[in-house]
């Protein structure tokens, strides 16, 4: 089997991250701190600062390689070789309960009612489009010419999933998949082991838009490998193992990467505590205004550059709320990561560069962690860290935005605010910034900890949706 479809990469990265995180807690990298630099803003370095670049050779991960020796391809003009085969590992896990969301956040409700298949949708067999010439009515196409102005449309179908509901491979035509239900009705509260199959598989494709699609009772929601210009919006996935995943793929000598992926306005619920809900290993991508519930790590960004994660509501998780690995120029802005598990990482940034984490809420019911390891020219400021105890660690990073902008709000900060000024020695009145620093293990600090939580941007509304199909 020459070609390996790298859907397993994010899961492997998460597993590797857990081991590395434990190791880093025992042995932190001691890197001289550039205390006088102006903090990066919105993913940008200050004028005159050197920008680090992650080379392909830097992206080896343990005993598997994401960018391997050989060529790294831009979007190819031709279809993938006919010898291409995909390897997808489907895993079965136990169901997890999502705790209630504290006020003032919207309530996300798991409704145990049976799945009601809309009578407006027409039953259809699984759809498989292998090449542009296969966009036919027999394959579910209901209109369009495959152009930007008039894309092929696949719409109005109800598909009972046994293997993969919709497969599209080796295409360059414009496609719009909308108003489709993909479900496995053998899955239910007492038989989660029956939650098999995949909703949608996209491999080596461009110009695909997915909107208003509901995926329920399957193992994996939407898997994308070597895709360019794909948009998934206003859709729901209530699945067992993985939700929305975009990666590259390799045949052992060459690498086809994904790029320009947008995930916006979706609701994703993953029941498995070792799975992942949203994973993007694709440069020039956006994860925006989604509701993401459960899994091991709800949001993963890996092996990418120029990625924005903004205004998402992320509930629960076991390992980390968000995990950024082997990436550069990443902005994590105005998200809420709530109901974090005790001792969970609110965020982990590992071996990455130019990562900005700002205006986010990280809320845990017990002790929580935030960690930056092996990173360069990154900044963390204007966040609200809310838990009974917050353990923070860093490498070469900035944990504030200077004076008077300030740093972060830490619920465990015990300092007072009696003074003001860059050195907090003008004691004529408070300025909203603590008079003493907030230490960051092993050698850093938030020089200007905020006394009050930083105001957050509006979040996407919670979702009311069905999670248990009729058996």
């Amino acid at each position: 089997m020459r070609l390996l479809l790298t859907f397993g990469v994010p899961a492997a990265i998460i597993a590797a991250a857990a081991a590395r995180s434990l190791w880093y807690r025992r042995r932190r990298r001691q890197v001289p701190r550039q205390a006088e630099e102006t903090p990066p803003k919105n993913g940008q370095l200050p004028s005159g600062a050197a920008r680090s670049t992650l080379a392909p050779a830097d992206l080896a991960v343990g005993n598997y390689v994401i960018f391997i020796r050989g060529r790294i391809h831009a979007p190819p003009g031709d279809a993938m070789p006919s010898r291409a085969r995909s390897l997808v590992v489907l895993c079965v896990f136990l169901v997890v309960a999502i705790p209630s969301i504290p006020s003032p956040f919207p309530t996300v409700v798991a409704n145990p009612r049976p799945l009601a298949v809309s009578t407006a949708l027409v039953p259809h067999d699984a759809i498989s489009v292998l090449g542009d010439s296969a966009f036919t009515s027999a394959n579910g196409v209901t209109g369009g010419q495959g152009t930007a102005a008039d894309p092929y449309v696949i719409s109005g179908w109800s598909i009972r999933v046994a293997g993969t509901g919709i497969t599209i491979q080796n295409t360059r035509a414009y496609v719009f998949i909308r108003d489709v239900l993909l479900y496995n009705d053998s899955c239910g509260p007492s038989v989660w082991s029956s939650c098999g199959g995949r909703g949608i598989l996209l491999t080596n494709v461009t110009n695909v838009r997915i909107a208003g699609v509901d995926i329920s009772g399957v193992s994996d929601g939407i898997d994308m490998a070597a895709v360019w210009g794909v948009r998934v919006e206003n859709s729901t996935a209530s699945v067992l193992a993985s939700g929305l995943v975009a990666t590259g793929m390799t045949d052992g000598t060459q690498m086809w990467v994904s790029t320009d992926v947008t995930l916006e306005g979706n609701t994703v619920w993953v029941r498995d505590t070792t799975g992942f809900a949203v994973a993007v290993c694709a440069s020039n991508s956006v994860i925006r205004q989604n509701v993401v519930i459960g899994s091991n790590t709800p949001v993963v960004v890996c092996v990418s550059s120029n990625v924005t994660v903004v205004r998402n509501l992320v509930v629960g998780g076991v390992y980390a709320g968000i995990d950024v690995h082997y990436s550069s120029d990443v902005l994590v802005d105005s998200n809420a990561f709530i109901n974090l598990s005790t001792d969970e990482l609110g965020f982990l940034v590992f071996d990455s560069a130019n990562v900005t984490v700002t205006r986010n809420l990280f809320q845990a019911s017990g002790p929580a962690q935030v960690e930056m390891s092996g990173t360069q020219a990154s900044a963390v400021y204007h966040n609200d860290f809310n838990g009974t105890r917050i353990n923070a660690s860093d490498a070469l990073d900035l944990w504030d935005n200077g004076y008077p902008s300030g740093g972060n709000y830490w619920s465990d900060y015990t300092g007072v605010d009696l003074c003001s000024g860059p050195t907090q020695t003008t004691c004529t009145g408070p300025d909203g910034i603590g008079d003493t620093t907030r230490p960051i293990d092993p050698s850093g600090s938030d020089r200007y900890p905020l006394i009050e939580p930083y105001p957050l941007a509006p979040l996407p509304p919670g979702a009311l949706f069905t999670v248990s199909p009729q058996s």
Side-chain angles (χ1 to χ4, degrees):
M1 185 173 294
R2 212 83 197 248
L3 184 71
L4 297 182
L5 192 60
T6 58
F7 295 137
V9 167
I13 287 178
I14 292 169
R20 283 181 170 81
S21 177
L22 178 61
W23 184 86
Y24 268 98
R25 291 190 182 102
R26 295 174 179 169
R27 182 179 181 272
R28 303 288 181 186
R29 293 186 180 183
Q30 303 294 325
V31 184
R33 185 177 182 80
Q34 299 176 358
E36 302 305 318
E37 278 193 345
T38 302
K41 297 182 179 180
N42 298 329
Q44 301 298 318
L45 286 177
S47 177
R51 179 177 298 278
S52 64
T53 302
L54 297 179
D58 297 328
L59 301 176
V61 185
N63 57 6
Y64 62 90
V65 179
I66 298 184
F67 280 27
I68 57 176
R69 285 189 297 272
R71 290 174 289 172
I72 299 176
H73 284 245
D78 298 325
M80 196 65 70
S82 60
R83 66 178 182 271
R85 297 291 185 269
S86 64
L87 175 62
V88 178
V89 180
L90 303 178
C91 301
V92 176
F93 304 95
L94 296 177
V95 63
V96 297
I98 302 300
S100 61
I101 300 174
S103 178
F105 299 99
T107 300
V108 179
V109 178
N111 191 333
R113 294 172 300 178
L115 175 67
V117 179
S118 172
T119 56
L121 301 177
V122 178
H124 198 285
D125 292 336
I127 293 171
S128 181
V129 176
L130 307 181
D132 288 332
S133 62
F135 283 111
T136 64
S137 59
N139 279 330
V141 176
T142 57
Q145 300 295 318
T147 65
D150 187 19
Y152 290 124
V153 176
I154 297 175
S155 176
W157 304 121
S158 169
I159 301 175
R160 187 180 187 277
V161 175
T164 298
I166 297 177
T167 301
I168 301 180
Q169 295 182 349
N170 304 330
T171 65
R172 298 294 175 265
Y174 287 81
V175 187
F176 187 11
I177 304 172
R178 69 185 184 198
D179 303 324
V180 172
L181 173 65
L182 301 130
Y183 68 99
N184 176 356
D185 59 2
S186 65
C187 175
S190 61
V191 285
W192 294 124
S193 60
S194 298
C195 296
R198 182 196 299 110
I200 298 175
L201 171 64
L202 306 177
T203 309
N204 186 36
V205 303
T206 63
N207 310 315
V208 176
R209 180 185 175 193
I210 299 172
V213 169
D214 293 327
I215 303 172
S216 181
V218 298
S219 176
D220 304 293
I222 301 177
D223 286 335
M224 299 166 274
V227 300
W228 308 277
V230 170
R231 182 180 183 90
V232 182
E233 58 186 316
N234 302 324
S235 297
T236 64
S238 174
V239 297
L240 183 67
S242 67
L244 311 179
V245 179
T247 70
M249 64 182 183
T250 178
D251 66 354
T253 59
Q254 301 176 2
M255 180 74 188
W256 289 268
V257 299
S258 291
T259 187
D260 297 296
V261 173
T262 298
L263 308 177
E264 182 169 8
N266 304 289
T267 298
V268 181
W269 184 358
V270 174
R271 301 179 180 92
D272 163 40
T273 58
T274 60
F276 38 90
V278 172
V280 171
C281 304
S283 296
N284 305 319
S285 295
V286 176
I287 304 171
R288 178 169 49 220
Q289 290 188 302
N290 302 282
V291 176
V292 184
I293 309 168
S295 78
N296 178 282
T297 302
V299 180
V300 175
V301 176
C302 59
V303 199
S304 306
S305 63
N306 190 27
V307 177
T308 299
V309 183
V310 61
R311 293 185 62 190
N312 299 281
L313 172 59
V314 180
V315 184
V318 175
Y319 174 61
I322 181 170
D323 185 349
V324 178
H325 263 63
Y326 308 104
S327 297
S328 62
D329 300 296
V330 177
L331 174 63
V332 182
D333 185 3
S334 302
N335 305 279
F337 300 89
I338 65 177
N339 278 22
L340 300 174
S341 299
T342 297
D343 290 326
E344 180 184 352
L345 288 162
F347 71 82
L348 168 66
V349 179
F350 182 86
D351 275 6
S352 296
N354 310 315
V355 178
T356 298
V357 181
T358 184
R359 301 188 299 182
N360 303 283
L361 169 67
F362 297 91
Q363 185 175 68
S365 57
Q369 318 276 339
V370 291
E371 182 172 335
M372 309 277 283
S373 297
T375 60
Q376 304 175 44
S378 296
V380 181
Y381 59 89
H382 294 174
N383 300 285
D384 296 345
F385 296 113
N386 194 340
T388 57
R389 185 177 75 252
I390 303 294
N391 296 324
S393 58
D394 79 331
L396 182 60
D397 301 290
L398 296 171
W399 291 82
D400 61 68
N401 198 34
Y403 188 85
S405 179
N408 304 280
Y409 170 78
W410 307 85
S411 64
D412 62 352
Y413 178 69
T414 58
V416 298
D417 180 19
L418 302 175
C419 305
S420 63
T423 59
Q424 295 291 296
T425 55
T426 304
C427 298
T428 58
D431 59 356
I433 292 174
D435 297 340
T436 55
T437 63
R438 202 282 187 187
I440 307 293
D441 179 59
S443 59
S445 67
D446 183 340
R447 299 171 298 171
Y448 303 108
L450 303 178
I451 294 298
E452 298 293 334
Y454 193 85
L456 298 176
L459 294 170
L464 176 65
F465 62 98
T466 297
V467 298
S468 53
Q470 186 159 10
S471 57

